[in-house]
Amino acid sequence: MDILQYALRRLLAGLPLLLGVTLFSFTLMVYFGPDKTFELLGKNPTAQEIAEVRHQLGYDRPFVLRYGEYLRELATVDFGNSDSTGERVSSLLARTIPVSLALELPGFVLGNLLGIALALLAAYHRGRWPDKLIMGLSVIGMSISFLVVIFVFQIWFCTSHGLDLFPVRGWGTASLADYLRHVTVPTLAMVFVALGYNTRFYRAVIVEEMGRDHVRTARAFGAAPARLFWRDILKNCAIPVITRIVFTIPAIVIGGALLLETSFGIPGVGKAAYEAIISGDQPVLKAVVGLTTALFVIALLVADILYRAVDPRVSLE
Amino acid sequence: MNHPTPLLALRDLVVEFDTMAGRVRAVDGVSLDVFPEESLALVGESGCGKTVTALSILRLVPQPPGRIAGGSIRFDGRDLLALPESGMRAVRGRDIAMIFQEPMTALNPVFTVGAQLGDVIRRHQRLSRREARKASLALLEQVGIPEPGRRIDEYPHQLSGGQRQRVMIAMALSCGPRLLVADEPTTALDVTTQAQVLEEIRRLQAEYRMAMILVTHDLGIVAETCTRAVVMYCGQVVEAATTAALFSRPHHPYTVGLLDSIPRLRETRLAELPVIPGRVPDPLQLPAGCRFADRCPRVSAECRVVSPPLVATADGGLVACYHPHP
Ligand SMILES: Nc1ncnc2c1ncn2[C@@H]1O[C@H](COP(=O)(O)OP(=O)(O)OP(=O)(O)O)[C@@H](O)[C@H]1O
Ligand code: SF4
Ligand SMILES: [Mg+2]
């Protein structure tokens, strides 16, 4: 019950954040972002023609009005129709978001789980060769750009220059095999890059925890290393781990989805956002930016509740 | 002594640390015996190697940077340094228990007192969860924690420093160890609590018939609690004697200096041992002869050539000095 109350309170507290970020992004979008004006006009338009088109698109209405409208759209998750295709934005989202989730969840989960597992291994053997090997590989993962990784993996896994096992582009979820065929290479690329950062971070967290007094106490009372790592150390590391996972969500949504989906030609929300940016499709952009912000605020809230669950010193006040 | 065979015997223990500046011998050839049911004090200035000696007994010296580089540790006839790690785990907490200086950080913050106690109990004894909980409750009661039924489900941060240290003591007692190593168990507590917790330790040591090594800065505690004392200086034992003999007739100039400086400092509580003029030598550049030479009022040329060996005194103790006080 108090968890529920707390969640509500936090959600209310998250509203100003939501307002701030949407106001900021809305301003950027409306005054500096791409829009449809010139796409709809012929060559050398007159000032009057421009004004006319802008009026038709509603760009000339007062800022406060447009922002208020945007907030209403956010609250009702109804963003009108796409300027490019005329499709309802809500149905576009309903079509693309599940694709993005199916595409990115495996990589996200694996990237974190494997990162923690490798970090535990490295920390356990710290200073010896398994540690050095894992840390060396993670530096490689960190230093290569995501785009290069995608490109190399595509050549390697998807073309006759390499293994030629998977399609370069496209998406399908008709069957599990179909899904796996399309999701494997993007997932590998995601995991490769995420592992670099995650492993280093998690290792640092675990090594710090290993040096704490209570770990020495546990050892002094005969705790075995496996027990020590899985129980005593990992639970104490939960807060930084949760924090990291939550704070990488926006990066995953924005960077991951955008790059992966455009590179692999996957019809997810990232690709839709990319196309909206290119064509200046404001209704779609507004929806994506607003929902990403909302997602982040909710993720922060979930993190707060999880903190409470893993660490008794955090109170729900 | 009246007990012929020691429960614990350290011989020529050497512990080294690899530091940025070079290799440091934190413990350099320490030998000492602990007999069944006795309480032995380990005294000496900060940094002289008391904690490292205590940790070595359980093979808990942090490694890296440290390692036990030589000597032997025999417990009840077994060579602890020859045990495999799994064998050592069975000793830790069951045969030898250790309590630490910092009650604030020594317990795991994310598990309840009961979970941590029960964990240790079940690790070394075949008990069900319910039986372990019952045993934990009894232990908490025994170490003088009020309302054990409530405290058992609380987390360490909900307890006071004294209560936390009592929980540590309960944990140490839980498997009926024969040796308790207490590394400055009361230093971090306020004066009143200090006296209470110490009293508890004394009572339980007698009740459980354990031997105890008490590491302390406080010579007052030594006098009240321990039957024998070992004085360390700069990683070495410089004097060992019964408490009575040590206080009435100290032989080593360092011990004499320590005792001399007590009366005028006694009113203010001692966070550190009383100060003796001069400085401890740099562990990276130890002098050839006696390590106390630069601070010693009885120093002679001979002292600076070869380290004085530990030899028996007339009253049954040991002293490492060429010109001991009679
Ligand atoms: N983790 C470590 N790394 C490097 N050197 C260490 C480490 N732990 C201890 N030492 C060395 O061992 C020496 C003895 O330390 P120890 O903790 O045993 O002193 P102590 O007698 O317990 O002092 P105190 O009364 O302050 O607790 C230190 O002076 C230091 O040089
Ligand atoms: S050996 Fe010499 S220098 Fe060392 S304590 Fe004895 S008298 Fe002093
Ligand atoms: Mg110490």
Side-chain angles (χ1 to χ4, degrees), chain A residues 213-214 216-225 227 231-232 235-236 310 312-313, chain B residues 60 89 92-93 98 100 105-111 119 123-124 155 157 171-172:
Chain A
D213 280 0
H214 68 81
R216 183 177 67 180
T217 306
R219 293 187 53 212
F221 284 93
R227 170 95 176 166
R231 211 180 101 111
D232 301 25
K235 192 167 180 201
N236 274 285
V310 297
R313 287 166 298 182
Chain B
L60 286 176
R89 279 203 294 277
R92 292 184 189 132
M98 182 155 181
F100 298 95
T105 53
L107 292 168
N108 194 326
V110 301
F111 292 104
D119 220 38
R123 188 173 302 142
H124 294 300
Y155 291 92
H157 73 277
M171 205 184 270

Side-chain angles (χ1 to χ4, degrees), chain B residues 273-301:
Chain B
L273 271 184
V275 192
I276 297 172
R279 286 181 45 205
V280 183
D282 179 355
L284 287 166
Q285 285 156 7
L286 289 172
C290 176
R291 293 177 184 180
F292 190 56
D294 282 347
R295 300 165 78 182
C296 182
R298 297 167 82 90
V299 62
S300 72

